[in-house]
Amino acid sequence: MAALLSRTTVTRAEQRSFAAHGHARLPGLWDRALADGIAAEGRERHAVAEVPRRGPRTPVTARRLPRRDTPAASGPLLARVHLSLTGLARALTGRLLVPTFAAYGYYEGDDEVFLHIDTEQCDLTLLTTAFGDVGPLHVHPGLIGATMEQLGALESDPRWDRTGGTRVTYPHTGVTALDGHVLPHHRPGRPVTGPNAVAALCYRPLF
């Protein structure tokens, strides 16, 4: 499995960034060939993508209902990458994490994501651009501790500044690690052309 990756260790700077901010960019984890393979699988699996029955559901008003749901699909290559990154995930966080699930999330028309925190199955989330051009995630350390109901009230409020937060991008040959179950995040939404996909690889503590 480790042969998939160009590096399997994290730097002290990456560890410090994650500990201090709840997110860290880890570029250069694999080569261009693997990035192309992920893109190819992501495009192929789009045909069988479905809207997940489980996952974070931000409670918003009827006026703020999403323009579209985000379908998702997995694949054997993504599953191998998911397992291969387990040691790196443990080294980054200092915790005994285990893989839970990994999926491509597909965006067409726009790349909006409502303000939310991830489920317990995504105590750590590793994110990478599978293909296309999805905008940065906006993270909100000032909202740590807010409930999903409180986040939904913000998302529903037309006065809330959707451009706020710290912008976090995803590398094509690596991941952005996110303390997703703790750190609230959203994507404001902008028009996108054709299908675009982000791969999310989730981990939870074994104990």
Coordinates of all heavy atoms in Angstrom, one line a residue, residues 128-196:
T128 N -8.8 16.3 -0.9 CA -8.0 16.6 -2.1 C -8.9 16.8 -3.3 O -10.0 16.3 -3.3 CB -7.0 15.4 -2.4 OG1 -6.1 15.8 -3.4 CG2 -7.8 14.2 -2.9
T129 N -8.4 17.6 -4.2 CA -9.1 17.8 -5.4 C -9.0 16.6 -6.3 O -7.9 16.2 -6.7 CB -8.6 19.1 -6.2 OG1 -8.7 20.2 -5.4 CG2 -9.3 19.3 -7.5
A130 N -10.1 16.0 -6.6 CA -10.0 14.8 -7.5 C -9.9 15.3 -9.0 O -9.0 14.8 -9.7 CB -11.3 13.9 -7.3
F131 N -10.8 16.2 -9.4 CA -10.7 16.8 -10.7 C -11.6 18.0 -10.7 O -12.5 18.2 -9.9 CB -11.2 15.8 -11.8 CG -12.6 15.3 -11.8 CD1 -13.6 16.1 -12.3 CD2 -13.0 14.2 -11.1 CE1 -14.9 15.7 -12.3 CE2 -14.3 13.8 -11.1 CZ -15.3 14.5 -11.6
G132 N -11.3 18.9 -11.7 CA -12.1 20.1 -11.8 C -11.4 21.2 -11.0 O -10.3 21.2 -10.6
D133 N -12.3 22.2 -10.6 CA -11.8 23.4 -10.0 C -12.8 23.9 -8.9 O -13.6 24.7 -9.2 CB -11.6 24.5 -11.0 CG -11.0 25.8 -10.4 OD1 -10.4 25.7 -9.3 OD2 -11.2 26.9 -11.0
V134 N -12.7 23.2 -7.8 CA -13.6 23.6 -6.6 C -12.9 24.6 -5.8 O -11.7 24.6 -5.5 CB -13.9 22.3 -5.8 CG1 -14.7 22.7 -4.6 CG2 -14.7 21.4 -6.7
G135 N -13.6 25.6 -5.3 CA -13.1 26.7 -4.6 C -12.6 26.3 -3.2 O -12.9 25.2 -2.7
P136 N -11.9 27.2 -2.5 CA -11.4 26.9 -1.2 C -12.5 26.8 -0.1 O -13.6 27.3 -0.3 CB -10.6 28.2 -0.8 CG -11.1 29.3 -1.7 CD -11.6 28.6 -2.9
L137 N -12.2 26.0 0.9 CA -13.1 25.8 2.0 C -12.8 27.0 3.0 O -11.7 27.5 3.0 CB -12.8 24.5 2.7 CG -13.8 23.8 3.6 CD1 -15.0 23.4 2.7 CD2 -13.2 22.6 4.3
H138 N -13.8 27.5 3.6 CA -13.7 28.5 4.6 C -13.9 27.9 6.0 O -15.0 27.4 6.3 CB -14.7 29.6 4.4 CG -14.5 30.4 3.1 ND1 -14.7 31.8 3.0 CD2 -14.2 30.0 1.9 CE1 -14.4 32.2 1.8 NE2 -14.1 31.1 1.1
V139 N -12.9 28.0 6.8 CA -13.0 27.5 8.2 C -13.1 28.6 9.2 O -12.7 29.7 9.0 CB -11.7 26.6 8.5 CG1 -11.6 25.5 7.5 CG2 -10.4 27.5 8.5
H140 N -13.8 28.2 10.3 CA -14.2 29.2 11.3 C -13.8 28.8 12.7 O -14.7 28.3 13.5 CB -15.7 29.4 11.2 CG -16.2 29.9 9.9 ND1 -16.3 31.2 9.5 CD2 -16.6 29.2 8.8 CE1 -16.7 31.3 8.3 NE2 -16.9 30.1 7.8
P141 N -12.6 29.1 13.1 CA -12.2 28.8 14.5 C -13.0 29.5 15.5 O -13.2 29.0 16.6 CB -10.7 29.1 14.5 CG -10.5 30.1 13.4 CD -11.5 29.6 12.3
G142 N -13.5 30.7 15.2 CA -14.3 31.4 16.2 C -15.7 30.8 16.5 O -16.3 31.2 17.4
L143 N -16.1 29.8 15.7 CA -17.3 29.1 15.9 C -17.2 27.8 16.5 O -18.2 27.0 16.6 CB -18.1 29.0 14.5 CG -18.5 30.3 13.9 CD1 -19.2 30.0 12.5 CD2 -19.5 31.1 14.8
I144 N -16.0 27.4 16.9 CA -15.8 26.1 17.6 C -16.7 26.0 18.8 O -16.7 26.9 19.6 CB -14.3 25.9 17.9 CG1 -13.5 25.7 16.7 CG2 -14.1 24.7 18.9 CD1 -12.0 25.6 16.9
G145 N -17.3 24.9 18.9 CA -18.3 24.7 20.1 C -19.7 25.0 19.7 O -20.6 24.6 20.5
A146 N -20.0 25.6 18.6 CA -21.3 25.8 18.1 C -22.0 24.5 17.8 O -21.4 23.6 17.2 CB -21.4 26.8 17.0
T147 N -23.3 24.4 18.1 CA -24.1 23.3 17.7 C -24.5 23.4 16.2 O -24.4 24.5 15.6 CB -25.4 23.2 18.5 OG1 -26.2 24.3 18.2 CG2 -25.0 23.1 20.0
M148 N -24.9 22.3 15.6 CA -25.4 22.3 14.2 C -26.6 23.3 14.1 O -26.8 23.9 13.1 CB -25.8 20.9 13.8 CG -24.6 20.0 13.5 SD -23.7 20.5 12.0 CE -24.7 19.8 10.7
E149 N -27.4 23.3 15.2 CA -28.6 24.3 15.1 C -28.1 25.7 15.1 O -28.7 26.5 14.3 CB -29.5 24.0 16.3 CG -30.3 22.7 16.3 CD -29.4 21.5 16.5 OE1 -28.3 21.6 17.1 OE2 -29.8 20.4 16.1
Q150 N -27.1 26.0 15.8 CA -26.5 27.4 15.8 C -25.9 27.7 14.5 O -26.0 28.8 13.9 CB -25.5 27.5 16.9 CG -26.2 27.6 18.3 CD -25.2 27.5 19.5 OE1 -24.1 26.8 19.3 NE2 -25.5 28.1 20.6
L151 N -25.2 26.7 13.9 CA -24.6 26.9 12.6 C -25.7 27.1 11.5 O -25.5 27.9 10.6 CB -23.7 25.7 12.2 CG -22.5 25.5 13.2 CD1 -21.7 24.3 12.8 CD2 -21.6 26.7 13.2
G152 N -26.7 26.3 11.7 CA -27.8 26.4 10.7 C -28.5 27.8 10.8 O -28.9 28.4 9.8
A153 N -28.6 28.3 12.0 CA -29.2 29.7 12.1 C -28.3 30.7 11.4 O -28.8 31.7 10.8 CB -29.3 30.0 13.6
L154 N -27.0 30.6 11.6 CA -26.1 31.5 10.8 C -26.3 31.3 9.3 O -26.3 32.3 8.6 CB -24.6 31.2 11.2 CG -24.1 31.9 12.4 CD1 -22.6 31.5 12.7 CD2 -24.1 33.4 12.3
E155 N -26.3 30.1 8.9 CA -26.4 29.8 7.5 C -27.7 30.4 6.9 O -27.7 30.8 5.7 CB -26.3 28.3 7.2 CG -26.3 27.9 5.8 CD -25.1 28.3 5.0 OE1 -24.0 27.9 5.3 OE2 -25.3 29.1 4.0
S156 N -28.7 30.4 7.7 CA -30.0 30.9 7.3 C -30.1 32.4 7.3 O -31.1 33.0 6.8 CB -31.1 30.3 8.1 OG -31.1 28.9 8.1
D157 N -29.2 33.1 8.0 CA -29.3 34.5 8.2 C -28.7 35.2 7.0 O -27.5 35.1 6.7 CB -28.5 34.9 9.5 CG -28.7 36.3 9.9 OD1 -29.2 37.1 9.1 OD2 -28.3 36.7 11.0
P158 N -29.5 36.0 6.3 CA -28.9 36.7 5.1 C -27.9 37.7 5.5 O -27.1 38.2 4.6 CB -30.2 37.3 4.5 CG -31.2 37.4 5.6 CD -30.9 36.2 6.5
R159 N -27.8 38.1 6.7 CA -26.8 39.1 7.1 C -25.5 38.5 7.4 O -24.5 39.2 7.6 CB -27.3 39.9 8.4 CG -28.6 40.7 8.2 CD -29.2 41.1 9.5 NE -29.6 39.9 10.3 CZ -30.1 40.0 11.5 NH1 -30.3 41.1 12.1 NH2 -30.4 38.9 12.2
W160 N -25.4 37.2 7.5 CA -24.1 36.5 7.8 C -23.2 36.6 6.6 O -23.6 36.4 5.5 CB -24.4 35.0 8.1 CG -23.1 34.3 8.5 CD1 -22.2 34.6 9.4 CD2 -22.6 33.1 7.8 NE1 -21.2 33.7 9.4 CE2 -21.4 32.8 8.4 CE3 -23.1 32.3 6.7 CZ2 -20.6 31.7 8.0 CZ3 -22.3 31.2 6.3 CH2 -21.1 30.9 7.0
D161 N -21.9 37.0 6.9 CA -20.9 37.2 5.8 C -20.4 35.9 5.4 O -19.6 35.3 6.0 CB -19.8 38.1 6.4 CG -18.7 38.4 5.3 OD1 -19.0 38.0 4.1 OD2 -17.7 38.9 5.7
R162 N -20.9 35.4 4.2 CA -20.5 34.1 3.7 C -19.1 34.1 3.1 O -18.5 33.1 2.8 CB -21.5 33.6 2.7 CG -22.8 33.3 3.2 CD -23.8 32.8 2.2 NE -23.3 31.6 1.6 CZ -23.3 30.4 2.1 NH1 -23.7 30.2 3.4 NH2 -22.8 29.3 1.5
T163 N -18.5 35.3 3.0 CA -17.1 35.4 2.5 C -16.1 35.3 3.6 O -14.9 35.3 3.4 CB -16.9 36.7 1.7 OG1 -17.0 37.8 2.6 CG2 -17.9 36.8 0.6
G164 N -16.6 35.3 4.9 CA -15.7 35.3 6.0 C -15.0 33.9 6.3 O -15.2 32.9 5.6
G165 N -14.1 33.9 7.3 CA -13.4 32.7 7.6 C -12.1 32.6 7.0 O -11.7 33.5 6.2
T166 N -11.3 31.6 7.3 CA -10.0 31.4 6.7 C -10.1 30.5 5.6 O -10.6 29.4 5.7 CB -9.0 30.8 7.8 OG1 -8.9 31.7 8.9 CG2 -7.6 30.6 7.2
R167 N -9.5 30.9 4.4 CA -9.7 30.1 3.2 C -8.6 29.0 3.2 O -7.4 29.3 3.4 CB -9.5 31.0 2.0 CG -10.6 32.0 1.9 CD -10.5 32.8 0.6 NE -11.6 33.8 0.5 CZ -11.9 34.5 -0.5 NH1 -11.2 34.3 -1.7 NH2 -12.9 35.4 -0.5
V168 N -9.0 27.8 2.9 CA -8.2 26.6 2.9 C -8.3 25.9 1.5 O -9.4 25.6 1.1 CB -8.5 25.7 4.0 CG1 -7.7 24.4 3.9 CG2 -8.4 26.3 5.4
T169 N -7.2 25.8 0.8 CA -7.3 25.1 -0.5 C -6.7 23.7 -0.4 O -6.1 23.3 0.6 CB -6.4 25.9 -1.5 OG1 -5.1 26.0 -1.1 CG2 -7.0 27.3 -1.7
Y170 N -7.0 22.9 -1.5 CA -6.6 21.5 -1.5 C -5.5 21.3 -2.5 O -5.6 21.7 -3.7 CB -7.7 20.6 -1.9 CG -9.1 20.8 -1.2 CD1 -10.2 20.8 -2.0 CD2 -9.2 21.1 0.1 CE1 -11.5 21.0 -1.4 CE2 -10.4 21.4 0.7 CZ -11.5 21.3 0.0 OH -12.8 21.5 0.5
P171 N -4.4 20.6 -2.2 CA -3.4 20.3 -3.2 C -3.8 19.2 -4.1 O -4.6 18.3 -3.7 CB -2.2 19.9 -2.4 CG -2.7 19.4 -1.1 CD -4.0 20.2 -0.8
H172 N -3.3 19.1 -5.3 CA -3.7 18.1 -6.3 C -2.9 16.8 -6.0 O -3.4 15.7 -6.4 CB -3.5 18.5 -7.7 CG -4.6 19.4 -8.2 ND1 -5.7 18.9 -8.8 CD2 -4.7 20.7 -8.2 CE1 -6.5 19.9 -9.2 NE2 -5.9 21.0 -8.8
T173 N -1.7 16.9 -5.4 CA -0.9 15.7 -5.2 C -0.7 15.5 -3.7 O 0.4 15.1 -3.3 CB 0.5 15.8 -5.9 OG1 1.1 17.0 -5.5 CG2 0.3 15.9 -7.4
G174 N -1.7 15.8 -2.9 CA -1.6 15.7 -1.5 C -3.0 16.0 -0.9 O -4.0 16.0 -1.6
V175 N -3.0 16.3 0.4 CA -4.3 16.5 1.0 C -4.2 17.8 1.9 O -3.1 18.2 2.3 CB -4.7 15.3 1.9 CG1 -4.9 14.1 1.1 CG2 -3.7 15.1 3.1
T176 N -5.4 18.3 2.2 CA -5.5 19.2 3.4 C -6.2 18.5 4.5 O -7.2 17.9 4.3 CB -6.4 20.4 3.0 OG1 -5.6 21.3 2.1 CG2 -6.8 21.2 4.2
A177 N -5.5 18.4 5.6 CA -6.1 17.7 6.8 C -6.9 18.7 7.6 O -6.5 19.9 7.8 CB -4.9 17.2 7.7
L178 N -8.1 18.3 8.0 CA -9.1 19.1 8.7 C -9.6 18.4 9.9 O -10.0 17.3 9.9 CB -10.2 19.5 7.7 CG -11.3 20.4 8.3 CD1 -10.8 21.8 8.4 CD2 -12.5 20.4 7.3
D179 N -9.6 19.1 11.0 CA -10.2 18.7 12.3 C -11.7 18.9 12.1 O -12.3 19.7 12.8 CB -9.6 19.4 13.5 CG -10.0 18.8 14.8 OD1 -10.6 17.8 14.8 OD2 -9.6 19.4 15.8
G180 N -12.3 18.1 11.2 CA -13.6 18.5 10.7 C -14.8 18.3 11.7 O -15.8 18.9 11.6
H181 N -14.6 17.4 12.7 CA -15.6 17.2 13.7 C -15.7 18.4 14.7 O -16.6 18.5 15.5 CB -15.5 15.9 14.4 CG -16.6 15.5 15.3 ND1 -17.9 15.5 15.0 CD2 -16.5 15.1 16.6 CE1 -18.6 15.2 16.0 NE2 -17.8 14.9 17.0
V182 N -14.6 19.2 14.8 CA -14.5 20.3 15.7 C -14.6 21.6 15.0 O -15.3 22.6 15.6 CB -13.2 20.2 16.5 CG1 -13.0 21.4 17.4 CG2 -13.2 18.9 17.4
L183 N -13.9 21.8 13.9 CA -13.8 23.1 13.3 C -14.9 23.3 12.2 O -14.9 22.7 11.2 CB -12.4 23.1 12.6 CG -12.0 24.4 11.9 CD1 -11.9 25.6 12.9 CD2 -10.6 24.2 11.2
P184 N -15.8 24.2 12.5 CA -16.9 24.5 11.5 C -16.3 25.0 10.2 O -15.3 25.8 10.2 CB -17.7 25.6 12.2 CG -17.5 25.4 13.7 CD -16.0 25.0 13.7
H185 N -16.9 24.7 9.1 CA -16.4 25.0 7.8 C -17.6 25.1 6.8 O -18.6 24.5 6.9 CB -15.3 24.1 7.3 CG -15.7 22.6 7.4 ND1 -15.7 21.9 8.6 CD2 -16.1 21.7 6.5 CE1 -16.0 20.7 8.4 NE2 -16.3 20.5 7.1
H186 N -17.3 25.9 5.7 CA -18.3 26.0 4.6 C -17.6 26.4 3.4 O -16.4 26.8 3.4 CB -19.4 27.0 5.0 CG -19.1 28.4 4.6 ND1 -18.1 29.2 5.3 CD2 -19.6 29.2 3.7 CE1 -18.1 30.4 4.8 NE2 -19.0 30.4 3.8
R187 N -18.3 26.4 2.3 CA -17.9 26.9 1.0 C -19.0 27.8 0.5 O -20.1 27.4 0.3 CB -17.5 25.8 0.0 CG -16.8 26.4 -1.3 CD -16.5 25.2 -2.3 NE -15.6 24.3 -1.7 CZ -15.9 23.0 -1.5 NH1 -17.1 22.5 -1.9 NH2 -15.0 22.2 -1.0
P188 N -18.6 29.1 0.2 CA -19.7 30.1 -0.1 C -20.5 29.7 -1.4 O -21.7 30.0 -1.4 CB -18.9 31.4 -0.3 CG -17.7 31.2 0.4 CD -17.3 29.7 0.4
G189 N -19.9 29.1 -2.3 CA -20.6 28.7 -3.5 C -20.3 29.7 -4.7 O -20.4 30.9 -4.5
R190 N -19.8 29.2 -5.8 CA -19.6 30.0 -7.0 C -19.9 29.1 -8.2 O -19.9 27.8 -8.1 CB -18.2 30.5 -7.0 CG -17.1 29.4 -7.1 CD -15.7 29.9 -7.0 NE -14.7 28.9 -7.0 CZ -14.2 28.2 -8.1 NH1 -14.7 28.6 -9.3 NH2 -13.4 27.3 -7.9
P191 N -20.3 29.7 -9.3 CA -20.6 28.8 -10.5 C -19.3 28.0 -10.9 O -18.2 28.5 -10.8 CB -20.9 29.9 -11.6 CG -21.3 31.1 -10.8 CD -20.4 31.1 -9.6
V192 N -19.6 26.8 -11.3 CA -18.5 25.9 -11.8 C -19.0 25.3 -13.1 O -20.2 25.1 -13.3 CB -18.1 24.8 -10.8 CG1 -17.5 25.4 -9.6 CG2 -19.3 23.9 -10.5
T193 N -18.1 25.0 -14.0 CA -18.4 24.4 -15.3 C -18.2 22.9 -15.3 O -17.2 22.5 -14.9 CB -17.6 25.1 -16.4 OG1 -17.8 26.5 -16.4 CG2 -17.9 24.5 -17.8
G194 N -19.2 22.2 -15.7 CA -19.1 20.7 -15.8 C -19.0 20.1 -14.4 O -19.1 20.8 -13.4
P195 N -18.8 18.8 -14.4 CA -18.6 18.2 -13.1 C -17.3 18.4 -12.5 O -16.3 18.6 -13.2 CB -18.8 16.7 -13.4 CG -18.4 16.5 -14.8 CD -18.8 17.8 -15.5
N196 N -17.2 18.6 -11.1 CA -16.0 18.8 -10.4 C -16.1 17.9 -9.1 O -17.2 17.6 -8.7 CB -15.9 20.2 -9.9 CG -15.8 21.2 -11.1 OD1 -14.8 21.7 -11.5 ND2 -17.0 21.6 -11.6

